[in-house]
């Protein structure tokens, strides 16, 4: 007698007929005191269990309710019903844990409350819903695809620090980390807080990016990537922002910006192709959900493409590459700019692009994913490589339909003198980043990298509308439950 | 002309002869104005470049120094020297970035200073050393092996929260996370700090474990694992402790403690077997380093086994499984206990085992990795399943030679009433963990899991002596540099 996960059993299909098997899972539904839909999380699909209610006591039958957990011993038979090849004729059904039907109704099933918002408050239970199960399985496969991609390409996974003494990275506001009791802060003679007594002997923060450390690692190991949590202490209560999110940052010695664009495009396409291979059921389910939601929207707000179509469209199209300067020309002369439909009108070179501009380029003008490059130095970070025009830097953003920027990256400034100059202009203390400057002192090389916010990618591939629904336990202003 | 990494080229070996190639890397050594050993981090091995110094200017030759970075175009020829099959006859050598020989001497090579301690202060540069390069490559492959193992077994990777509102996990002291300016803390009417004004609306900490959240995920998805940073604010200035380290925590619905032991043993063996397959050069290098260090020790402190032997020994031996009660009997009657050689003498059942006891069992008594199980409830956490004897819990520790505990785990208490009772005994507020209790209300199931500290595993497989040398940028008391 073999213990199967439901995924394994369904994949075996008719080849399992006549086998005696054990399955374990949670009851999704129980009809006519006879048909149990059992799910164990291994797959979106349930296996149907047929119980012989004549041989069971009323007490036993009453314990089998939605949400209760079972062990079933039985033999696999061809299914008489529709929608499944096989089912299990139960010989013995035992309940591990009951689930009070009224509490289940109240906590998980209450139709009025059964919204995504409500489920966020029940984040510990939403793993059992079809939608969230599908998202979590896709999230897993996307993460594995990312590790697999970099491993195959000879990158080394580097864990950059989460607690950092630096606040010079400039990517956003930081959370403070301390071992002090806030009720009793030690003071020095000048009556200032004495950070030398804190755990790390100085002020420390949660990282906003592992890039600078990854650059140091790339200077020795060649090709590296980070994949870890990053933090923003910004009071952004939107459907696109999290205070804690996971970021992937590859960094490659000897790569210039063209190599960097090639890597970003190949990387995104590989991950999406992997999901098509490994998450068919779950993508199909979310595709139908997406279509349903589109139907409920007013016509002018609907997207042209379905979820799976949108993924195929990214796979098939060569990403358009154009400079910021070319993009500004297109946007200046665009209909929505001339008719003043943009919230931010494009008037001159140097303007920062908004999501509405990025989406216009991707969805209307080119009808293709777009990589913009060579942005004005003034609107970009200090570490990006200055072009010979002295005005633009070797930055790049990858723009996707429906979502805007999915990747931001650059070739890094490898020339010590230029980097120092840029730091001065950005008011960054050289002493803060002595070690970063060091990497330009000992055999500096051209190098490039980019950052991808994992949850942005998962939003895109699942078609969900709120980033809080694509991470198990979201952190946002006023919420750190669980 | 193809761009190769040095690893790719060396793997191609003699098949690459007559090819025109490009390689890029850093100079490890330059002999006789003619032979450059070039390394790009892809492998421990260097490729030898033979330059024609007659065709180069003196300035050009002077720029090629240890640590400088080069692009080399040349053709692959059979090597005349020993130790390598092939070398590159350079046609064109260009320097990307110079490295001032005096500064290199001072910063990286200074023999007196060139200790592991010194390199920790140069963590941004130590990626270029042979030892640290080997460790980082092994660390990468171990991490990939872990993801690969769980993915193949149908586990889903779950990102549990880093910032947590809970301080009930009980695994150790926690760091506080706040968005307050410590210089200006908001107070409420009672003149207490008003945490409702903090970013998350309450006190928050850095996680010490993702286990409780992983349990909730396993109750829906079946088999899950976490792999992320965890934190301890303990002032432990030892070679075995970090304030920030990476932990792997699988959690499996329906698994009992025997399944859990099977999983732990199979998992560890699989990861080590993977490293034998993928890190031969680096393991060989560290094996020689390990042997050298053993030689320098007094005879009675040397280990019996070499590094690679020790890994093979773990692979080959079936882990001995015995109960805490049996272990206490063995220890009570052991020579070191009777001769009072243990620092902590074992006198009665209920004693907590120290590293010296664990190592006696592994290294002397059984000469095999050991899994101890069924510990006294009093010395273990509240969530471990109580045995029928009411005295012991279904805990397990996996003990390794040279290192002691490498994995700690348990079957979890799935019975709501028993769990509540245990929480009362451990002074844990039910309100704090309402959601955790909920998972026992809706179809509770037996389940088990364990935790593995990644850096402990890397210590074991690299034979390094200090945990600060197996993570890129270590965090410990008074140190958060980089």
């Amino acid at each position: 007698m073999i213990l199967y996960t439901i995924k394994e059993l369904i994949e075996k299909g008719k080849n399992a007929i006549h086998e005696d098997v054990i399955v374990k899972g949670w009851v999704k539904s129980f009809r006519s005191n006879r048909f149990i839909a059992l799910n164990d999380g291994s797959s979106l699909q349930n296996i149907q269990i047929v119980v012989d209610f004549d041989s069971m006591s009323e007490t036993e039958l009453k314990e089998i309710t939605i949400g209760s957990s079972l062990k079933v011993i039985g033999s696999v038979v061809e299914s008489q019903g529709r929608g499944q090849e096989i089912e299990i004729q139960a010989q013995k059904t035992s309940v591990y844990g009951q689930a009070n039907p009224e509490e289940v109704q109240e906590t998980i099933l209450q139709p009025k409350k059964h919204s995504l918002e409500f489920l966020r408050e029940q984040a510990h239970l939403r793993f059992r819903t079809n939608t969230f199960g599908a998202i979590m399985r896709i999230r897993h496969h996307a993460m594995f695809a990312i590790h697999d991609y970099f491993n195959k390409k000879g990158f080394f996974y580097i864990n950059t620090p989460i607690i950092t003494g630096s606040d010079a990275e400039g990517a956003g506001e930081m959370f403070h980390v301390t071992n002090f009791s806030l009720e009793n802060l030690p003071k020095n003679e000048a009556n200032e807080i004495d950070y030398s007594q804190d755990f790390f002997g100085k002020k420390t923060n949660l990282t906003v990016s592992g890039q600078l450390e990854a650059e140091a690692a790339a200077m020795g190991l060649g090709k590296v990537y980070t994949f870890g949590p990053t933090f923003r202490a910004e009071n952004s209560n939107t459907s696109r922002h999290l205070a804690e999110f996971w970021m992937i940052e590859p960094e490659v010695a000897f790569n210039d910006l063209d190599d960097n664009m090639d890597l970003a495009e190949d990387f995104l396409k590989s991950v999406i192709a992997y999901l098509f291979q490994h998450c068919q059921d779950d993508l199909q389910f979310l595709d139908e959900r997406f279509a349903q939601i589109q139907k409920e929207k007013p016509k002018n707000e609907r997207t042209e493409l379905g979820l799976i179509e949108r993924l195929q469209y990214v796979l098939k199209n060569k990403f358009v590459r154009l400079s910021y300067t070319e993009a500004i020309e297109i946007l200046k002369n665009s209909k929505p700019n001339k008719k003043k439909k943009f919230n931010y009108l494009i008037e001159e070179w140097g303007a920062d692009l908004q999501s509405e501009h990025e989406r216009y380029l991707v969805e209307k003008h080119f009808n293709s994913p777009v990589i913009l490059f060579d942005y004005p130095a003034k609107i970009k970070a200090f570490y990006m490589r200055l072009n010979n025009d002295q005005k633009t830097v070797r930055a790049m953003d990858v723009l996707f339909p429906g979502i805007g920027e999915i990747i931001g990256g650059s070739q890094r400034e490898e020339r010590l003198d230029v980097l120092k100059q840029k730091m001065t202009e950005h008011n960054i203390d050289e002493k803060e980043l002595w070690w970063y400057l060091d990497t330009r002192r000992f055999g500096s090389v051209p190098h490039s990298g980019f950052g991808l916010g994992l949850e942005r990618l998962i939003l895109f591939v699942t078609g969900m509308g709120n980033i809080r629904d694509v991470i198990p336990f979201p952190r946002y202003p006023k919420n750190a439950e669980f």
Side-chain angles (χ1 to χ4, degrees), chain A residues 6 38 42 49 51 72 80 105 133 197 209 246 273 314 320 365 384 407:
Chain A
I6 290 168
L38 197 73
S42 62
I49 312 290
V51 296
V72 177
Q80 302 306 311
Q105 187 67 19
Q197 291 186 47
S209 160
W246 285 68
V314 168
V320 169
H365 189 85
M384 298 187 176
I407 275 181

Side-chain angles (χ1 to χ4, degrees), chain A residues 282-467:
Chain A
D282 289 318
L283 283 175
Q284 193 59 48
F285 173 80
L286 291 172
D287 187 68
E288 285 158 24
R289 184 187 174 281
F290 189 79
Q292 191 57 44
I293 286 172
Q294 295 301 319
K295 263 192 212 162
E296 292 161 13
K297 285 185 178 176
K299 270 198 174 165
N300 63 341
E301 287 179 24
R302 292 181 199 166
T303 63
E304 272 176 50
L305 299 177
L307 176 64
I308 287 179
E309 284 171 335
R310 199 169 74 175
L311 295 175
Q312 278 162 342
Y313 153 104
V314 168
L315 268 189
K316 281 182 205 152
N317 281 288
K318 172 121 187 70
F319 296 5
V320 169
R321 300 181 187 187
L322 86 160
S323 72
Y324 167 89
T325 303
E326 292 168 294
I328 284 290
E329 281 310 304
I330 291 169
L331 289 167
K332 247 205 265 186
N333 298 316
S334 70
K335 263 193 198 166
N337 203 54
K338 288 186 166 166
K339 295 195 168 172
K340 313 211 168 179
K341 290 275 168 76
F342 282 144
N343 291 318
Y344 296 82
L345 295 180
I346 296 292
E347 283 164 357
E348 56 184 15
W349 193 94
D352 208 350
L353 299 187
Q354 306 296 322
S355 176
E356 58 183 343
H357 309 128
E358 296 173 345
R359 292 187 61 173
Y360 173 82
L361 291 169
V362 172
E363 293 164 28
K364 305 290 178 197
H365 189 85
F366 289 109
N367 197 26
S368 158
V370 169
I371 309 183
L372 287 188
F373 60 88
D374 284 352
Y375 282 78
K378 283 197 180 156
I379 58 171
K380 290 289 182 183
F382 75 93
Y383 49 73
M384 298 187 176
R385 193 179 198 279
L386 193 64
N387 279 312
N388 289 338
D389 63 15
Q390 304 290 316
K391 280 195 324 188
T392 59
V393 287
R394 300 243 74 192
M396 67 176 216
D397 282 347
V398 181
L399 312 178
F400 262 24
I403 200 160
E405 182 193 328
I406 193 157
I407 275 181
S410 68
Q411 184 169 338
R412 320 306 190 183
E413 185 54 75
E414 88 279 15
R415 296 161 296 185
L416 183 61
D417 52 341
V418 184
L419 184 60
K420 281 180 165 181
Q421 176 65 28
K422 292 282 290 293
M423 283 171 67
T424 308
E425 285 165 22
H426 282 78
N427 281 317
I428 295 168
D429 189 354
E430 282 186 23
K431 277 184 213 143
E432 272 279 322
L433 290 181
W434 64 272
W435 57 272
Y436 186 67
L437 289 168
D438 253 13
T439 59
R440 274 65 175 174
R441 266 192 197 101
F442 301 102
S444 188
V445 299
H447 60 289
S448 301
F450 59 80
L452 168 76
L454 176 69
E455 285 76 17
R456 287 278 175 95
L457 177 67
I458 307 298
L459 266 186
F460 183 73
V461 296
T462 60
M464 298 300 290
N466 193 315
I467 203 160

Side-chain angles (χ1 to χ4, degrees), chain A residues 14-237:
Chain A
K14 288 196 177 165
N15 293 323
I17 288 174
H18 303 312
E19 252 189 83
D20 285 336
V21 300
I22 307 172
V23 292
K24 301 174 177 181
W26 291 270
V27 174
K28 283 278 193 176
S29 67
F30 186 31
R31 290 185 292 120
S32 322
N33 264 357
R34 193 165 167 77
F35 302 106
I36 300 169
L38 197 73
N39 187 282
D40 64 0
S42 62
S43 152
L44 182 74
Q45 295 184 58
N46 308 319
I47 187 93
Q48 175 155 289
I49 312 290
V50 186
V51 296
D52 175 14
F53 58 83
D54 287 333
S55 73
M56 290 172 83
S57 74
E58 209 162 308
T59 327
E60 284 176 312
L61 281 170
K62 267 198 176 156
E63 287 182 4
I64 301 174
T65 59
I66 292 177
S68 62
S69 49
L70 301 185
K71 174 180 177 181
V72 177
I73 298 176
S75 55
V76 179
V77 296
E78 189 162 353
S79 180
Q80 302 306 311
R82 279 176 306 165
Q84 67 242 352
E85 282 190 335
I86 52 167
E87 60 192 25
I88 295 174
Q89 200 78 46
Q91 282 138 20
K92 192 169 170 357
T93 304
S94 31
V95 172
Y96 283 117
Q98 301 178 44
N100 182 314
E102 281 167 35
E103 282 189 323
V104 168
Q105 187 67 19
E106 184 96 345
T107 315
I108 317 179
L109 292 178
Q110 185 73 269
K112 264 188 262 171
K113 285 184 171 177
H114 189 207
S115 63
L116 292 171
E117 288 74 22
F118 174 69
L119 282 177
R120 251 169 252 150
E121 290 166 24
Q122 305 288 331
H124 59 304
L125 299 175
R126 65 179 178 172
F127 295 104
R128 294 205 201 165
T129 64
N130 284 339
T131 302
F132 208 68
I135 295 167
M136 284 297 106
R137 284 185 293 269
I138 289 173
R139 184 179 165 107
H140 161 77
H141 286 292
M143 292 193 283
F144 187 75
I146 290 165
H147 284 298
D148 195 44
Y149 177 85
F150 287 123
N151 182 60
K152 285 199 177 114
K153 299 263 170 188
F155 284 66
F156 301 111
Y157 179 25
I158 289 289
N159 302 116
T160 49
I162 309 300
I163 298 172
T164 172
S166 163
D167 59 1
E169 292 158 27
E173 276 193 60
M174 300 175 100
F175 287 103
H176 312 305
V177 176
T178 177
N179 198 25
F180 284 152
S181 157
L182 300 197
E183 281 75 13
N184 189 14
L185 296 167
K187 301 281 172 78
N188 63 17
E189 287 171 1
N191 204 33
E192 296 158 343
I193 297 171
D194 184 4
Y195 288 101
S196 73
Q197 291 186 47
D198 207 350
F199 190 92
F200 295 108
K202 62 174 171 179
K203 272 190 172 184
T204 49
N205 299 307
L206 289 179
T207 184
V208 292
S209 160
Q211 178 200 315
L212 305 190
E213 291 90 352
E215 284 186 56
M219 296 299 99
L221 296 166
K223 296 191 259 187
V224 302
Y225 71 107
T226 75
F227 191 158
T230 46
F231 304 85
R232 295 284 187 283
E234 275 143 27
N235 206 351
S236 300
N237 234 324

